[in-house]
Amino acid sequence: EIVLTQSPATLSLSPGERATLSCRASQSVSNYLAWYQQKPGQAPRLLIYDASNRATGIPARFSGSGSGTDFTLTISSLEPEDFAVYYCQQRNNWPPLTFGGGTKVEIK
Amino acid sequence: QVQLVESGGGVVQPGRSLSLSCAASGFTFNSYGMHWVRQAPGKGLEWVAVIWFDGSKKYYADSVKGRFTISRDNSKKTLYLQINGLRAEDTALYYCARDRGVGTLGSFDYWGLGTPVTVSS
């Protein structure tokens, strides 16, 4: 099973700042990595698929990069609605599909 | 628009069974693989099971293998999860989610709001 490790666990930033979230895989997942955003009381929302492709309707301030074992989700300038928990998820070697433990982006 | 609506959750005693449903609308249901994903209170996401668009393949997380059964009725546009031998660690919000691809790619582009399952004596 591929283990995904997200860091940091919590990121404290102000609106307008740049957010950089990391996801590291225990073995290569090629570019088969997705990112999801989850707000309290809501279902997750797909942001990025296959490492760098924005899902439908996702603003351009969200971008993904990386391949192999190291991936990054960048939010170029945080909007108030971006404060949430973010999860990465791999689909390279499954089943099982696996998620990272999440990074909470909170208001500083 | 794509809609997924789960139902069937509740409070159940350990060892009992429960059947969850997910009603789909707004897309060609029989073209997409479907998944169940769960989230324990205050915890992260855990993939539970997948069923291929035509029901020909099914896969499960090790934590539920042998106790959970995923199925679908394409004529009713409904996904199911039969849960037997419930354990305390099965307590979670259960989401159904559509696979992103036409086929089964292993990521999720639409999610329902979830149905809660609480296992307690």
Side-chain angles (χ1 to χ4, degrees):
Chain A
E1 173 178 324
I2 294 177
V3 176
L4 300 177
T5 302
Q6 292 188 241
S7 61
T10 303
L11 197 53
S12 298
L13 295 168
S14 300
E17 288 193 295
R18 182 183 189 89
T20 303
L21 287 66
S22 174
C23 177
R24 177 164 289 177
S26 58
Q27 62 190 78
S28 176
V29 297
S30 185
N31 67 326
Y32 296 132
L33 190 102
W35 291 93
Y36 301 84
Q37 176 195 66
Q38 187 178 33
K39 298 178 183 179
Q42 295 187 18
R45 176 174 70 145
L46 178 65
L47 299 176
I48 302 287
Y49 65 91
D50 293 351
S52 61
N53 298 284
R54 272 191 304 277
T56 302
I58 300 304
R61 65 181 181 273
F62 291 92
S63 63
S65 63
S67 66
T69 60
D70 290 294
F71 299 86
T72 301
L73 174 70
T74 301
I75 310 171
S76 60
S77 178
L78 282 164
E79 297 287 341
E81 62 267 28
D82 299 336
F83 292 92
V85 179
Y86 294 82
Y87 294 95
C88 58
Q89 176 249 325
Q90 69 81 25
R91 67 175 187 92
N92 182 59
N93 186 10
W94 71 287
L97 296 167
T98 54
F99 291 90
T103 290
K104 181 179 181 180
V105 179
E106 65 175 21
I107 300 176
K108 186 175 182 179
Chain B
Q1 71 281 21
V2 173
Q3 276 200 309
L4 299 169
V5 180
E6 302 92 337
S7 61
V11 180
V12 292
Q13 294 178 329
R16 308 285 281 201
S17 298
L18 203 60
S19 181
L20 308 183
S21 299
C22 171
S25 60
F27 66 102
T28 306
F29 183 70
N30 60 15
S31 292
Y32 289 85
M34 296 294 296
H35 302 259
W36 288 98
V37 177
R38 68 183 180 182
Q39 187 169 34
K43 302 297 184 182
L45 300 167
E46 180 188 16
W47 174 78
V48 172
V50 62
I51 185 167
W52 251 235
F53 68 100
D54 58 357
S56 61
K57 295 182 181 179
K58 305 174 186 180
Y59 296 105
Y60 301 90
D62 284 347
S63 57
V64 308
K65 205 173 292 182
R67 298 188 300 121
F68 288 22
T69 302
I70 190 171
S71 62
R72 64 192 296 159
D73 185 333
N74 284 345
S75 68
K76 295 182 178 179
K77 299 182 181 180
T78 302
L79 175 72
Y80 302 99
L81 187 68
Q82 176 68 35
I83 306 175
N84 297 328
L86 276 156
R87 304 169 180 170
E89 56 264 35
D90 295 323
T91 294
L93 186 63
Y94 283 74
Y95 293 103
C96 74
R98 190 183 83 166
D99 194 276
R100 182 178 60 81
V102 177
T104 309
L105 298 181
S107 55
F108 323 101
D109 60 354
Y110 287 93
W111 300 64
L113 294 178
T115 187
V117 173
T118 302
V119 183
S120 173
S121 54

